[in-house]
Amino acid sequence: MKKWMTACLAVLILQGCSSRVDLDEHFSLNGEVSDLQGVNQDGEDFHTNDMEGEIWLAAFIFTNCDTVCMPMTYNMAELQSQLDENDLDYQFVSFSIDPEHDTPDVLKEYGSQQDADFSNWDFVTGYEQEDIELFANRGFIAPAAKLEGSDQFVHSTSLYLMIGDRILEKYEMSMDVPYEEIVEAVELVQGY
């Protein structure tokens, strides 16, 4: 009887190990981001290195944006509601690409206007312009640059699904948002 129980336990352990999600099989991206340090909308320190092992969704915005940022942030707030309805564990991070203008207070007001739930959504600033541009360009292979002679910036309109410092996938957030696909992807990563 003891040998039988040991064999059953071994089978269960092996099944548990084999049920881990193969991220390379399910997701198209495999980039990594370096550490970026800043502060969130409450003036609290934020470091991407603190996201190790965490599931998070990252976007680039700026509050003076006269085109896509407001719809993107609104769509993220809708996605936040859907992820919460499914009782999923995740963190949203919106990086400002205009840190000179987007102070924590400005970001807090902007997030509040978009119905962001700050309990799991950080709006991040407090770094140098060059740092956020390099962070976006190198890690996310995404544009981030000020338009010459303007107060506007070029930036990605994607939402990036992350686990720790690893980029798994990106989703268009300015229009035709694939909400269901993103919810399913976050559910899948929960099993990782």
Side-chain angles (χ1 to χ4, degrees):
M1 180 73 166
K2 189 174 183 180
K3 286 183 182 180
W4 182 80
M5 288 179 71
T6 303
C8 286
L9 182 59
V11 167
L12 287 173
I13 289 171
L14 288 174
Q15 282 181 334
C17 292
S18 66
S19 67
R20 275 188 84 138
V21 174
D22 182 352
L23 298 177
D24 294 329
E25 182 180 309
H26 292 282
F27 299 103
S28 66
L29 300 179
N30 191 18
E32 288 186 5
V33 296
S34 59
D35 186 35
L36 181 69
Q37 300 176 16
V39 294
N40 71 7
Q41 70 279 351
D42 294 318
E44 299 168 346
D45 287 342
F46 176 91
H47 299 264
T48 55
N49 282 350
D50 291 342
M51 303 301 281
E52 186 173 332
E54 299 292 325
I55 298 167
W56 54 298
L57 297 116
F60 297 94
I61 57 108
F62 65 105
T63 62
N64 281 336
C65 180
D66 59 15
T67 57
V68 296
C69 296
M70 197 171 292
M72 283 176 56
T73 307
Y74 174 84
N75 291 339
M76 287 177 67
E78 173 58 32
L79 177 60
Q80 185 179 42
S81 295
Q82 292 185 28
L83 292 167
D84 289 346
E85 286 172 13
N86 285 277
D87 199 30
L88 296 172
D89 186 23
Y90 67 95
Q91 182 76 23
F92 272 166
V93 181
S94 291
F95 294 101
S96 171
I97 59 168
D98 185 7
E100 188 174 313
H101 175 267
D102 289 342
T103 63
D105 289 340
V106 169
L107 288 171
K108 184 133 190 179
E109 177 64 27
Y110 178 81
S112 295
Q113 290 172 354
Q114 300 300 315
D115 294 325
D117 177 354
F118 295 117
S119 67
N120 63 345
W121 192 341
D122 287 309
F123 287 79
V124 182
T125 188
Y127 30 69
E128 297 297 320
Q129 183 68 43
E130 181 181 355
D131 294 337
I132 190 62
E133 289 180 7
L134 289 173
F135 180 72
N137 298 162
R138 290 182 180 166
F140 293 87
I141 317 297
K146 187 168 186 171
L147 293 172
E148 195 171 320
S150 171
D151 66 349
Q152 297 297 292
F153 292 77
V154 174
H155 64 92
S156 169
T157 59
S158 295
L159 180 70
Y160 298 85
L161 175 61
M162 314 278 298
I163 187 162
D165 65 354
R166 183 172 175 192
I167 305 166
L168 301 176
E169 197 64 74
K170 68 178 181 176
Y171 305 94
E172 177 58 40
M173 288 306 288
S174 63
M175 56 175 28
D176 300 324
V177 177
Y179 293 111
E180 189 174 316
E181 183 182 343
I182 300 170
V183 170
E184 289 173 2
V186 173
E187 285 176 337
L188 182 66
V189 177
Q190 297 277 292
Y192 176 71

